[in-house]
Amino acid sequence: MSDIILDVKDLSMSFFTDQGELPAVNRVSFQVEKGRTLGIVGESGCGKSMTSLCVMRLFPSPPGRIVGGSILFHGQDLTKLSKKEMRAIRGKGIAMIFQEPMTSLNPVLTIGKQLTEAIMAHETVSKAEARARALHMIDLVGIPMPEKIYASCPHQLSGGMRQRIMIAMALSCKPDLLICDEPTTALDVTIQAQILDLINRLKNETGTSVMMITHDMGVINEMTDTVLVMYAGQVVEYAATGELFSRPSHPYTTGLIASIPSLDREEEELNVIPGAVPMLYELPEGCLFCPRCPYATDRCRKERPELSEIAPGHQVRCFRYSSDGKEERP
Amino acid sequence: MSQAPLLQVEHLKKYYSMKTGLFSRAAGVVKAVDDISFQLESGQTIGIVGESGCGKSTMGKTILRLIEPTAGKVLLDGEDFTALQGDALKRARRKMKLIFQDPYASLNPRMTVRDIIGENIDIDRTYSTRQEREDRIAEVMEQTGLNLDYMDRYPHEFSGGQRQRIGIARAIVLPPRLIICDEPVSALDVSIQAKIINLLKALQRDMGLSYIFISHDLSVVKHISDRVGVMYLGHMMELADKRSLYANPMNPYTQALISAVPKLPGETVREKIALSGDVPSPANPPSGCCFHTRCPHAMPICAQEQPELKQVGEDHFCACHLCKACAAAS
């Protein structure tokens, strides 16, 4: 398959702190195909944002350092690039939008200045061309009166508008990959629907691949083609989105889905996962999920399971599934 | 029901005047809460949903008189709470407590858990001996699932979910009749959110509490409430029994809100109603129906006249010119 844009293999990133080496991203592998959307889901501290920041090489360093694995973007290993080479890829090849649009825009520069800056940094265009492109992008993300917005400062815009500007900026250099880190968490539901719709529409028009990082299973279901479920820095399940919801297999995934109140069903009590996410400096010895797992056995407490393929393209990190794909229920 | 409802809110209004210029001339009013009425029976939960800026939190605080209402009445157990002063107010306030959204900001960082929970007892001088006070603190800590070893720890040593439990313990240490929960689970991960919701439901069952549950999350509100009110720009748009509201939303805003929630597989997917634009500024609200600028079914009358909340079914009220049932009822 030649249309794999991003191929992450065994990526590990650790923070080196007073408490020792903390594995924030622990041997994570995934691929993003052209024009497709990959979702990464998990709770706070599971390493989903850190994984995306590794791809952008934007994680705090020091104390963070990539300790193993590779990130192949169009066959080029991003972990080996110099700072200058990486800067040429950010914005041009891979663009990113963040959760809080207010803190990712410069409050003292006009929207127009910020948009043209991005375009002129990556392409040799005249100021007039950059301005025309910026106005086109503002129009493309569905903001009326682009001229007026072009001259405004971020504080004059609403949260939804700011996020649209972030998307316009991210897509202005036609990146091959767009990383969205919780793009709608800070927004209201009706605005969230608008923004998700916009990301989908632009993805289809420009053929950009998307990495969608979220904690919302509903967003995962509606937006993504494949999903990575992360827990304490590890991938615990990796599958096509339809497959994941029809056959969630890791106890963490099933627990996570079951703990969401439904709009349809009525239940007296919500399903809960006992315990809490472990801190990176007190990770259990065996399977990272075993202290909270209802199926944990002695083996789980001693050995760490590897990812095993239980169906084509469906990987699960759990001893309940042996390598030949059969489910072993105790 | 022969008995008066626990809480009656009648035509509650909170207007803020805007001042401008050197001499603070009045420049207009912001109608944060505009003519809200509802009732709450003992042991029941009413959910209030709406987007940011719709006045749902202001309403909660106005009911408690943390913010003095501009007009309207709040009757608690048939007693006019809005007219109380001094000691009578202090006594009545014992019946109503508040749980906040941000468990990081709502606990005093320089007090131990013991003192945070015990402060209510100290102010009220409920118990004469130290031992009784300590016993009661231990009792509520157990009731809310807090480890007694943590009694002398400070808030920063706890996770978000545990802090929210401390907030709940503080609210129930002197058993109230009503707790106003202002987005109590919005800052928490889904698996923690499920635990807190289960705790709130268990406490309601055991202590016969009533809740006003304010949230922007429609599925959480559906799970915990008996009745649900939908607010937009300070107005109550629709108020109904939760089954009726979710199965048969009458107001176009409610319909759009429910359709905008990203769904999980297996949930009924209604046709997405895409709302254009943002929520108008409450400082400059549209004429007539406050929703007409974004409403897909707006008619000429909507821009002129504000619709009243009318009964459209058994325990189902809706404010909309369009809805046929409303027209039939008038």
Side-chain angles (χ1 to χ4, degrees), chain A residues 8-9 31-32 48 118 125 149 170 249 269 274 285-286 299 315:
Chain A
V8 175
K9 279 184 201 149
Q31 294 176 332
V32 184
K48 56 189 193 301
V125 289
I149 299 299
S249 300
E269 194 152 305
E285 190 189 336
R299 188 182 175 199
Q315 298 178 339

Side-chain angles (χ1 to χ4, degrees), chain A residues 43-44 158 188 190-192 194 217-219 221-222 245 261-264 266-267 269-270 272-273 275, chain B residues 51-52 189-191 195 198 201 219 222-223 243 246 257 262-265 267-268 272 275 277-278 294:
Chain A
E43 297 180 276
S44 338
S158 66
D188 281 318
T190 60
I191 309 295
Q192 161 170 296
Q194 290 174 7
M217 279 289 182
V219 172
N221 176 46
E222 294 197 350
F245 284 109
S262 162
L263 271 178
D264 274 2
E266 276 191 34
E267 55 270 276
E269 194 152 305
L270 291 172
V272 297
I273 308 174
Chain B
E51 298 181 276
S52 35
D189 275 320
V190 270
S191 69
K195 287 180 198 169
N198 284 348
K201 281 203 132 183
S219 46
K222 166 150 195 245
H223 178 77
R243 284 183 197 88
Y246 283 85
L257 211 54
K263 306 287 189 305
L264 289 175
E267 288 185 317
T268 322
K272 289 254 173 198
L275 289 184
D278 283 322
R294 298 173 81 198

